[in-house]
Amino acid sequence: DRPLLEQYFDRAITDGTPYETDLRILRTDGSIRYLEARGEAVRDQQGRVVRLFGTALDISDRKLAEDALRRYERIVSATTDSMCLLDCNYTYQLVNQAYLTLHEKQLAEILGYTVGEILGAERFETLLKPHLDQCLAGEVVNYQMWLEYPTVGKQFIGITYAPYFEVNNTISGIVVSIRNLTDLKQVEVELQKAKEAAEVANQAKSIFLANMSHELRTPLNVILGFTQVMSRDSSLTPDQRENIDIISRSGNHLLSLINDILDLSKIEAGCITLDESSFDVIAQLRSLQDMLRQKAEAKGLQLNLEIAPEVPQYIRADANKLRQTLINLLGNAIKFTQKGSVTLRVASRLTDKPSSNPIPPSPHLPLSLSPHLLFEVSDTGVGIAPTELDAIFDAFAQSQAGKISPEGTGLGLTITRNFVRLMGGDITVSSTLGQGSTLQFEIPVHLALASDVQPLQTSRQVIGLAPNQPPYRILVADDQPENRQLMVKLLAQLGLEVWEAKNGEEAVALWQQWQPHLIWMDIRMPIMDGYEATQQIRSSEESRASVIIALTAHASRNDRALALSAGCNDFVSKPFQEETVFVKMAEHLGLRYVYALNDQPSVDSRQRDKLAPSKVLTPESLSVMPKEWIQRLHEAAQLCDDEEIFQLIQQIPREYASLNTGLSRLARDFQFQPIVQLSGNASQLPAFD
């Protein structure tokens, strides 16, 4: 640095000129320093320079601060955000043009003034000062608010206060940045409005579906209920019984469509949950095969079931959703396959990883055993075009083959995929057009023990009350006369005393007058609904002696919870099976019944052996009956439908008493497989027409 300073020294010595300059010096270590150099010559009386006074002051820190401030000024001037620099007294030290424009001020009207003087003392004290004080304490403060400005009116702004640090790390001011967020806020408000509108629309759709479900289930309850009542009439001719069966099957098909739509609405609303149970999965799979085999064989198809040896017999999972999933997949495969076969393959693998399935494992088995079941449904059907594969799981979407078919709503695969995902898996599809399709899914389950599994209840037809029981009083409350008539006919034929109420108010009055043992309470009724009627009855201490069972076309889990919380003892949804009504009354009142044919206690097993035919039944024994009758017997045996079998047995002419007795014995002992074999072989023989 010496040569540079000597230039100034020489000039001062030569002509006596004082000097003052700033020097930028590059040091040997690579750093840069700034010096402020000053000098002046001292002359004697003859004017000669005799001394030279000079000073050199290191101003690097000040210089760096000035450079930083200039850079800040350039950045502040370029940004569209409103920015300013305040000192510790909240006085403006620097502002950019955007800030001046926002407040409609000139530079001279702001610099040197405090925030309170510019924006108003009240606004400053209540809205700004608490945040500014927080910033002077060393915090970066961010907040948003609505503020009124003279130029643009009310605006939603985002404000940031950042401490301004000196080189010695002391705070000398506050950097203020103001961003206009009004447009973003308006977009946010619009999005919120759209979301609320969508929620309202979704709620309206759910209410509509629930109401439509109620309106559809109510007449369906009457249709299906009276077909059950009529089917008990032994005087019906075969043609009449067949007509009733057609009505029943069509009604149940319509009910399944309604349930599909309801399931979809529940899925969209996030109301579908898993219902845990321990069950025999092997038995369930074979039951599905038996149930759908006839449908497949009617089209000339083979329905194959391949279960790997490692598949556990007893598991804990959602049996109903798994069953519905497989029914949907197998039903679709049979529907779109014209020749060849449909195959269900099931395999298993064990993993030590914790299962994502929320169903807890059996308490009797180790937690480390977490099997996954793998299901595959393949067919040799029409296949799915590659362009349609991505859409087959969409609601109401159908492939080209599905559009041609007259059946279905386009909801089956949508519900199936949601069920699989709910169970902790996912479903995939592969297909070749004209050759067939394969759908696969894998779900986590838990192992169970045979002792965990509830035994299946055998369906039995009630024909009366067992003797030596007290008279029971039953009240039916329903606003629909057809529903009341159905329940009255169903219950009165057992010898029960039944009264009717057409609304909740009448139900309460009749309960006070008559004290029934059990009330079948409809929920949706005029004047007073079932909830309020139940609550009024339960408000009395005497109501403990009466059982109240909600019987309603509202079928959701929430409806059940509301009914139970109102004071109902149980809940049955419409349409109902008559067996459900009898089971509930047996459960809550202890009713004992007399059952049809296979459950009559009049003949013990040794006596039945004496009454058995002297010769064993053969396919030729059945060939005396019409082919249609044999086919119906075959289908009923495959479905283990003993009620249908006994109805068919009643059609056997008297001269074939041995056939009647032999089939009755097999059905009474639930020997369905021999009946399947006999009827299957008999259908190949020449039959009576």
Side-chain angles (χ1 to χ4, degrees):
D1 304 331
R2 184 182 184 89
L4 184 61
L5 288 174
E6 285 178 349
Q7 296 177 17
Y8 294 99
F9 296 162
D10 291 343
R11 193 189 318 169
I13 293 172
T14 302
D15 55 18
T17 304
Y19 67 88
E20 182 177 346
T21 185
D22 292 341
L23 301 177
R24 181 177 182 273
I25 300 172
L26 178 64
R27 302 180 66 178
T28 56
D29 61 0
S31 62
I32 296 176
R33 305 298 293 175
Y34 293 90
L35 298 178
E36 183 182 74
R38 296 180 181 180
E40 183 177 359
V42 179
R43 299 177 183 274
D44 58 15
Q45 292 180 353
Q46 290 75 27
R48 294 175 298 182
V49 177
V50 295
R51 287 191 186 84
L52 182 66
F53 290 101
T55 61
L57 179 65
D58 190 335
I59 60 170
S60 298
D61 291 344
R62 189 183 74 189
K63 190 70 173 177
L64 291 173
E66 290 174 352
D67 289 344
L69 184 59
R70 281 192 293 271
R71 288 195 298 272
Y72 172 75
E73 290 175 342
R74 288 195 296 269
I75 294 172
V76 165
S77 299
T79 183
T80 57
D81 291 346
S82 300
M83 299 188 70
C84 64
L85 176 64
L86 307 176
D87 64 15
C88 293
N89 296 316
Y90 309 131
T91 301
Y92 289 100
Q93 302 297 311
L94 178 68
V95 294
N96 69 348
Q97 186 58 47
Y99 194 93
L100 294 173
T101 302
L102 181 65
H103 293 84
E104 208 174 22
K105 297 286 186 181
Q106 298 296 322
L107 185 62
E109 297 176 301
I110 284 187
L111 288 183
Y113 292 90
T114 65
V115 175
E117 292 171 330
I118 299 299
L119 300 182
E122 183 179 354
R123 176 189 289 186
F124 171 72
E125 290 292 339
T126 58
L127 299 180
L128 307 179
K129 190 175 184 300
H131 300 296
L132 291 169
D133 291 345
Q134 188 178 352
C135 181
L136 284 182
E139 298 182 33
V140 176
V141 180
N142 293 285
Y143 65 101
Q144 298 174 349
M145 64 188 306
W146 287 96
L147 274 180
E148 187 81 29
Y149 290 98
T151 55
V152 292
K154 195 172 185 179
Q155 298 290 298
F156 188 76
I157 58 172
I159 303 176
T160 299
Y161 296 148
Y164 184 79
F165 290 94
E166 294 289 352
V167 176
N168 60 3
N169 209 32
T170 60
I171 297 175
S172 63
I174 299 173
V175 178
V176 179
S177 174
I178 302 174
R179 176 163 294 183
N180 192 336
L181 302 176
T182 305
D183 291 342
L184 292 176
K185 186 64 175 180
Q186 289 175 344
V187 172
E188 180 183 332
V189 170
E190 292 301 321
L191 287 175
Q192 182 63 29
K193 288 181 179 178
K195 179 182 177 182
E196 291 174 356
E199 290 175 350
V200 170
N202 192 53
Q203 180 68 17
K205 182 189 72 173
S206 298
I207 294 173
F208 170 77
L209 287 173
N211 288 334
M212 287 305 298
S213 167
H214 181 275
E215 296 305 319
L216 291 171
R217 283 174 175 271
T218 297
L220 265 179
N221 180 65
V222 176
I223 294 170
L224 295 177
F226 274 104
T227 57
Q228 294 176 70
V229 172
M230 293 173 64
S231 66
R232 302 167 70 89
D233 188 350
S234 59
S235 65
L236 289 175
T237 66
D239 286 343
Q240 291 171 331
R241 194 171 298 281
E242 182 178 0
N243 292 339
I244 291 175
D245 289 343
I246 292 172
I247 295 172
S248 179
R249 287 196 299 271
S250 298
N252 279 298
H253 177 65
L254 180 56
L255 178 61
S256 69
L257 297 180
I258 295 171
N259 288 336
D260 279 350
I261 296 174
L262 280 179
D263 282 343
L264 181 63
S265 67
K266 291 177 184 177
I267 289 168
E268 290 178 344
C271 297
I272 292 287
T273 58
L274 290 177
D275 294 323
E276 64 175 71
S277 64
S278 298
F279 63 100
D280 186 336
V281 68
I282 303 297
Q284 185 185 78
L285 293 171
R286 298 198 184 283
S287 172
L288 287 176
Q289 183 187 30
D290 291 340
M291 183 180 73
L292 296 171
R293 181 185 285 114
Q294 182 60 39
K295 185 176 180 181
E297 290 178 350
K299 298 182 66 174
L301 304 175
Q302 288 185 331
L303 180 59
N304 304 316
L305 174 61
E306 300 177 5
I307 304 175
E310 69 273 10
V311 173
Q313 182 172 1
Y314 303 108
I315 64 170
R316 197 172 190 206
D318 192 319
N320 290 330
K321 289 183 178 60
L322 177 59
R323 178 182 175 85
Q324 186 61 49
T325 295
L326 294 174
I327 288 175
N328 286 347
L329 295 181
L330 290 170
N332 265 8
I334 294 172
K335 177 180 175 182
F336 298 117
T337 303
Q338 303 306 320
K339 61 179 181 179
S341 64
V342 173
T343 302
L344 169 60
R345 299 182 181 89
V346 187
S348 174
R349 66 182 181 87
L350 284 176
T351 174
D352 291 331
K353 295 181 180 180
S355 170
S356 61
N357 192 326
I359 296 178
S362 167
H364 307 296
L365 292 168
L367 291 173
S368 60
L369 295 179
S370 180
H372 284 225
L373 294 186
L374 297 85
F375 298 88
E376 177 183 286
V377 176
S378 60
D379 62 63
T380 57
V382 295
I384 306 169
T387 55
E388 297 178 328
L389 282 176
D390 293 337
I392 65 171
F393 293 108
D394 295 341
F396 301 106
Q398 291 181 318
S399 65
Q400 190 60 36
K403 294 174 184 177
I404 296 173
S405 172
E407 300 178 9
T409 60
L411 296 177
L413 286 179
T414 303
I415 294 170
T416 296
R417 182 174 64 174
N418 280 280
F419 279 177
V420 170
R421 288 178 173 177
L422 185 66
M423 290 186 287
D426 206 349
I427 189 167
T428 60
V429 58
S430 59
S431 183
T432 302
L433 199 60
Q435 297 183 18
S437 305
T438 299
L439 289 97
Q440 297 176 314
F441 68 92
E442 176 180 342
I443 58 170
V445 298
H446 292 290
L447 295 178
L449 298 173
S451 57
D452 297 329
V453 177
Q454 294 292 328
L456 295 176
Q457 298 295 323
T458 304
S459 175
R460 300 181 293 176
Q461 184 181 18
V462 174
I463 60 174
L465 290 176
N468 302 321
Q469 295 188 80
Y472 286 100
R473 300 181 297 276
I474 309 297
L475 175 62
V476 176
D478 200 304
D479 61 314
Q480 298 294 324
E482 297 87 355
N483 288 334
R484 297 198 303 272
Q485 184 182 2
L486 169 62
M487 288 296 290
V488 169
K489 283 193 173 184
L490 189 62
L491 301 177
Q493 66 184 355
L494 301 183
L496 297 168
E497 187 176 357
V498 186
W499 282 17
E500 305 175 44
K502 60 178 178 290
N503 56 57
E505 190 174 75
E506 281 193 8
V508 174
L510 288 176
W511 173 81
Q512 293 172 338
Q513 171 189 347
W514 194 47
Q515 296 291 305
H517 296 90
L518 186 144
I519 304 174
W520 288 102
M521 182 74 76
D522 187 27
I523 294 300
R524 187 164 148 175
M525 294 184 289
I527 302 177
M528 181 186 293
D529 63 25
Y531 294 131
E532 186 177 351
T534 300
Q535 289 170 344
Q536 286 200 18
I537 293 172
R538 290 302 185 210
S539 65
S540 171
E541 289 291 333
E542 300 173 353
S543 69
R544 295 179 181 178
S546 296
V547 175
I548 304 177
I549 302 179
L551 183 61
T552 174
H554 289 291
S556 71
R557 183 184 297 269
N558 185 53
D559 294 320
R560 177 185 178 87
L562 288 174
L564 296 179
S565 63
C568 292
N569 300 87
D570 213 329
F571 179 95
V572 174
S573 61
K574 301 175 184 175
F576 58 83
Q577 294 293 321
E578 63 176 38
E579 179 188 359
T580 303
V581 171
F582 297 144
V583 167
K584 292 297 183 183
M585 291 196 300
E587 178 182 341
H588 292 285
L589 296 181
L591 291 184
R592 293 176 286 109
Y593 303 112
V594 175
Y595 298 95
L597 295 175
N598 55 314
D599 295 294
Q600 294 299 325
S602 57
V603 181
D604 63 23
S605 60
R606 285 175 294 181
Q607 289 174 322
R608 286 203 306 270
D609 290 340
K610 295 178 181 179
L611 296 174
S614 57
K615 62 177 182 178
V616 178
L617 289 178
T618 64
E620 287 75 15
S621 304
L622 275 67
S623 65
V624 298
M625 300 299 292
K627 286 184 178 180
E628 181 185 355
W629 184 92
I630 295 174
Q631 184 64 33
R632 289 179 60 189
L633 179 68
H634 186 71
E635 293 175 4
Q638 285 183 321
L639 297 175
C640 302
D641 189 347
D642 59 320
E643 180 178 343
E644 174 70 10
I645 291 173
F646 280 111
Q647 290 174 352
L648 291 170
I649 290 173
Q650 291 176 5
Q651 300 172 23
I652 299 175
R654 292 182 179 179
E655 57 264 33
Y656 303 116
S658 60
L659 176 61
N660 185 314
T661 306
L663 287 177
S664 296
R665 178 181 177 184
L666 290 174
R668 189 181 299 116
D669 293 336
F670 306 108
Q671 298 295 312
F672 298 115
Q673 191 57 35
I675 300 178
V676 171
Q677 295 174 350
L678 286 168
S679 56
N681 293 332
S683 64
Q684 308 299 320
L685 299 174
F688 172 78
D689 288 317

